[in-house]
Amino acid sequence: MAFSIPALDTLIHELTGLPGIGEKTAQRLAFFILKSGKDYSERLRMALDAVQLQVHYCPQCFAFTDQELCRICSSVDRNKTQVCVVEEASDVIRIEAAGTFKGLYHVLQGTISPLDGVAPSDLRIHELVERIHDSQLDPVNPIREVILALDADLEGDTTSLYLARLLHPKNIKLTRIAHGVPFGSDIDYIDQRTLGRAMENRVEL
Amino acid sequence: MAFSIPALDTLIHELTGLPGIGEKTAQRLAFFILKSGKDYSERLRMALDAVQLQVHYCPQCFAFTDQELCRICSSVDRNKTQVCVVEEASDVIRIEAAGTFKGLYHVLQGTISPLDGVAPSDLRIHELVERIHDSQLDPVNPIREVILALDADLEGDTTSLYLARLLHPKNIKLTRIAHGVPFGSDIDYIDQRTLGRAMENRVEL
């Protein structure tokens, strides 16, 4: 549905490029931006500029940072012998919010997905292997445990399996975060696969 | 949940300023923008600039336009004796998409809402009255009918009532779009108020 105002149509088109933003939402956002006037638009523009200029991948863990090395990689308080492997930089934030993990991270920037044409070489797997290899030359803080915290779906499982085979020859402990019934949920509403996994992964009390 | 990357936190903060975008969605959008790199960011920035520079309110109907007068107001094919009053510029697009109305529009840019501190003077009501007044000096195309197409909620009703009282002394036909059961819907799932209105506004077959 075109507005016959090219600038507005272009903005709506660009906004529909964002994930989860459909045509109608994009229209609503564009109208809001227009109604808010120069002020909001200018702030959004400056924020886009700043992010593009300042934020880049951490060369060690591939999360986002505006420093040379990211806040977590450069911290002296973190346990450098544990590395948690996640799919996306946003996953780091979720795990940090949980507050129980005090090691370092490694962001794969995706998962192996043949259907979407994502091969292991498209991910930061090579960098992970190299990182583990390099750390084993460090006599004080070699990586001793790699914790896989990938999504509990087909792609996550495939990637976990691939990494497990790849890292098995290395002399490190390889673990995966627990899959099971989420906190606060009613068994009645849990799907079969989750319940199946929860049963398999039961722990002794 | 802060990322400790000021540029990223600022972008997320600005994105949460958009309607319907919460903290989590803003994070997802910001990460997407970061991952898409310079190209998408630049296009979005340029689209924002263009909209701010080129698009403004039509001085007659207060919809958005990039011309002196908007496409509908300046069209020779429209019936200038009918004016449809809507809340927002986006409503014009919805009604145009329906394709049954061939008159002009008048965008109020809101509705009367004492709770939100929106008084009649904050809306384009004064401009509507003046527009009707001016048009009545035109011997060929005076405004003969004002159709109220406001939202079917409390604020919409209040505004319709206010406009009805204000425009009653003028020598024009004042109508309101029909409220009733939406097309394709199951009576079972319609709320009581809609059904009540549909019953009140029943038409003879």
Side-chain angles (χ1 to χ4, degrees):
Chain A
M1 194 156 52
F3 288 75
S4 309
I5 305 175
L8 186 55
D9 288 337
T10 306
L11 179 59
I12 291 169
H13 175 76
E14 294 303 345
L15 289 171
T16 53
L18 293 168
I21 305 291
E23 181 81 15
K24 264 205 167 178
T25 308
Q27 282 177 15
R28 214 172 51 234
L29 298 184
F31 274 112
F32 175 85
I33 289 169
L34 265 175
K35 285 206 299 180
S36 313
K38 239 184 162 50
D39 214 47
Y40 177 74
S41 205
E42 187 60 27
R43 289 209 313 276
L44 189 56
R45 224 190 53 124
M46 275 170 48
L48 284 168
D49 281 358
V51 142
Q52 217 56 50
L53 211 69
Q54 297 169 18
V55 184
H56 53 88
Y57 292 127
C58 169
Q60 178 167 286
C61 73
F62 300 97
F64 291 114
T65 182
D66 58 353
Q67 307 293 316
E68 209 182 315
L69 215 58
C70 84
R71 187 175 55 90
I72 296 173
C73 283
S74 58
S75 165
V76 291
D77 298 332
R78 311 288 300 211
N79 177 357
K80 293 190 190 333
T81 68
Q82 286 186 323
V83 171
C84 176
V85 175
V86 295
E87 283 177 30
E88 301 290 348
S90 47
D91 298 335
V92 173
I93 315 301
R94 304 269 170 270
I95 296 173
E96 282 296 286
T100 52
F101 181 66
K102 293 294 168 210
L104 303 183
Y105 292 91
H106 190 90
V107 181
L108 292 182
Q109 300 184 339
T111 36
I112 299 169
S113 173
L115 283 176
D116 301 315
V118 183
S121 58
D122 297 322
L123 307 174
R124 301 293 184 171
I125 291 177
H126 172 71
E127 285 87 346
L128 174 63
V129 174
E130 215 160 58
R131 189 175 164 189
I132 294 169
H133 183 262
D134 288 353
S135 90
Q136 289 179 331
L137 307 174
D138 178 352
V140 192
N141 281 320
I143 294 174
R144 290 204 185 87
E145 179 176 3
V146 168
I147 301 159
L148 302 180
L150 306 178
D151 287 352
D153 54 14
L154 189 65
E155 288 79 17
D157 283 358
T158 309
T159 312
S160 289
L161 209 67
Y162 182 89
L163 288 175
R165 283 194 191 157
L166 195 70
L167 301 180
H168 202 254
K170 316 261 168 206
N171 188 22
I172 47 168
K173 188 172 164 189
L174 189 66
T175 56
R176 201 199 61 194
I177 56 165
H179 291 169
V181 179
F183 179 73
S185 65
D186 191 326
I187 296 285
D188 248 12
Y189 293 94
I190 302 290
D191 65 294
Q192 294 176 9
R193 291 197 64 172
T194 302
L195 264 187
R197 287 206 170 180
M199 196 58 80
E200 275 171 36
N201 299 326
R202 67 191 178 277
V203 291
E204 214 167 316
L205 293 175
Chain B
M1 196 156 50
F3 288 74
S4 309
I5 305 175
L8 186 56
D9 288 337
T10 305
L11 178 60
I12 290 168
H13 174 77
E14 295 302 345
L15 289 172
T16 52
L18 292 169
I21 305 292
E23 181 82 15
K24 264 205 168 177
T25 308
Q27 282 177 16
R28 214 173 51 234
L29 298 184
F31 274 111
F32 174 85
I33 290 169
L34 266 175
K35 285 206 298 182
S36 314
K38 239 185 162 50
D39 214 47
Y40 176 75
S41 206
E42 187 60 29
R43 289 208 314 274
L44 189 56
R45 224 191 53 124
M46 275 169 49
L48 284 170
D49 280 358
V51 141
Q52 217 57 50
L53 211 68
Q54 298 168 18
V55 184
H56 54 87
Y57 293 127
C58 169
Q60 179 167 283
C61 72
F62 300 97
F64 290 114
T65 181
D66 57 354
Q67 307 294 316
E68 210 183 315
L69 214 58
C70 84
R71 187 174 54 90
I72 296 174
C73 283
S74 59
S75 165
V76 291
D77 298 331
R78 310 290 300 211
N79 177 356
K80 292 190 190 332
T81 68
Q82 287 186 321
V83 171
C84 176
V85 175
V86 296
E87 283 177 30
E88 300 291 348
S90 48
D91 298 335
V92 172
I93 315 302
R94 302 272 169 269
I95 297 173
E96 283 296 288
T100 52
F101 180 66
K102 293 294 168 209
L104 303 182
Y105 292 92
H106 190 91
V107 181
L108 292 182
Q109 300 184 339
T111 37
I112 299 170
S113 173
L115 284 175
D116 301 316
V118 183
S121 59
D122 296 322
L123 307 173
R124 301 293 184 171
I125 291 177
H126 172 72
E127 285 87 346
L128 174 63
V129 174
E130 215 161 58
R131 189 175 164 188
I132 294 169
H133 183 261
D134 289 352
S135 91
Q136 288 178 332
L137 304 174
D138 179 349
V140 192
N141 281 320
I143 294 173
R144 291 203 183 88
E145 180 175 4
V146 168
I147 301 159
L148 303 180
L150 306 178
D151 287 353
D153 54 12
L154 190 64
E155 288 79 17
D157 284 358
T158 309
T159 312
S160 290
L161 208 68
Y162 182 89
L163 288 175
R165 284 196 190 156
L166 194 70
L167 301 180
H168 202 255
K170 314 263 169 205
N171 188 22
I172 47 168
K173 188 172 164 188
L174 190 67
T175 55
R176 201 200 61 195
I177 56 165
H179 292 169
V181 180
F183 179 74
S185 64
D186 190 326
I187 296 286
D188 249 11
Y189 293 94
I190 303 290
D191 66 292
Q192 294 176 9
R193 291 197 62 173
T194 301
L195 264 187
R197 286 206 172 181
M199 196 57 81
E200 274 171 37
N201 299 326
R202 66 190 178 278
V203 290
E204 213 167 319
L205 293 176

